Amino acid sequence: MSEIRVLVCHPEQLLRSGIKALLNSEPGVRVVGEAADGFDALSKARGLRPDVALIEERLVGLPGVEVTERLADGVRCIILIEHPDTMFEAVKAGARGFLLHSSGQDELLGAVRATARGEAFFAPQVASRFLQRFESGLRQPATAVADTLTEREREVLGLVAEGMDNAEIAAKLYVSKATVKFHVSNLLVKLGLRDRLQIAVYAHRVGVVGALS
């Protein structure tokens, strides 16, 4: 990707301007548009086709999580949240990056670059909270874990647990390797894991593989 195109969605003009100035000062990153409310964000995204959308959770009209849900299929969304607990709804909506209002400039730039590459990004405070939730989630029934995943994610989960790599999964499911990589990244985010080995261990530990077969 030669240039990362960013849409900034925030109700406060001063903050939008500051974020825009910061991102535009970063090589290879350009803010292509700004939106002040949820409906404006959807409209701008359709017209500008950004790679990444930075979305404040407290947008007027449509809340940030709902905007994220509507954009997530075509735009990699980073959501600015006030409290880490909000991230669970944002994960379900398809957000790829998670920042707190207190996050610094380096975290913002890191989130934009990571999500543009198709990776997930968690601000440190958010990651800690997600891990706590993950640890408590290990006690959930396998069916409850499976219910948080899409049908395709469950398929990929099972194939990862069988030891297949991305190329083998792509051939099995008749999709591209990029699509498989996207689903694996989603599994890492939703399950709060670091790598595919942890995905396989998790799948067997909570019985998801057996529950899906």
Side-chain angles (χ1 to χ4, degrees):
M1 184 181 296
S2 59
E3 180 181 68
I4 302 171
R5 295 164 52 83
V6 183
L7 174 65
V8 178
C9 311
H10 200 288
E12 299 180 32
Q13 183 176 356
L14 186 61
L15 285 175
R16 288 201 311 273
S17 298
I19 292 170
K20 179 179 179 180
L22 172 65
L23 293 179
N24 282 342
S25 70
E26 183 74 0
V29 179
R30 181 165 63 96
V31 174
V32 295
E34 303 174 43
D37 62 63
F39 291 107
D40 189 27
L42 294 177
S43 176
K44 293 284 178 60
R46 283 193 293 269
L48 297 171
R49 298 182 178 225
D51 303 302
V52 175
L54 180 64
I55 303 171
E56 162 62 40
E57 68 169 330
R58 300 173 298 181
L59 289 177
V60 178
L62 286 176
V65 170
E66 186 168 347
V67 172
T68 297
E69 186 172 21
R70 297 193 187 191
L71 291 181
D73 285 342
V75 182
R76 289 160 178 160
C77 297
I78 302 167
I79 191 159
L80 287 166
I81 57 179
E82 185 171 14
H83 192 278
D85 282 342
T86 307
M87 69 183 168
F88 301 111
E89 290 303 317
V91 167
K92 293 177 184 177
R96 305 293 298 137
F98 304 85
L99 295 170
L100 293 175
H101 292 158
S102 59
S103 294
Q105 295 180 0
D106 289 344
E107 290 176 359
L108 172 59
L109 295 172
V112 168
R113 291 198 176 280
T115 54
R117 293 192 299 265
E119 301 170 3
F121 183 94
F122 287 78
Q125 307 96 316
V126 177
S128 176
R129 178 64 176 162
F130 200 99
L131 180 59
Q132 292 173 12
R133 182 65 173 264
F134 162 68
E135 289 171 345
S136 65
L138 286 177
R139 295 188 293 271
Q140 295 178 353
T143 53
V145 177
D147 284 345
T148 69
L149 306 177
T150 67
E151 181 178 354
R152 181 63 82 186
E153 286 167 350
R154 291 196 294 271
E155 289 178 318
V156 172
L157 174 66
L159 296 175
V160 169
E162 291 176 12
M164 292 189 181
D165 61 24
N166 285 358
E168 292 170 330
I169 295 173
K172 177 79 171 180
L173 300 180
Y174 301 101
V175 297
S176 69
K177 287 192 291 185
T179 297
V180 174
K181 183 178 179 180
F182 174 77
H183 289 306
V184 171
S185 294
N186 276 351
L187 288 171
L188 293 172
V189 172
K190 289 185 177 182
L191 300 177
L193 303 175
R194 288 196 312 270
D195 52 41
R196 43 195 312 126
L197 175 60
Q198 286 195 351
I199 290 177
V201 171
Y202 183 94
H204 288 285
R205 182 173 182 179
V206 300
V208 171
V209 175
L212 297 175
S213 60

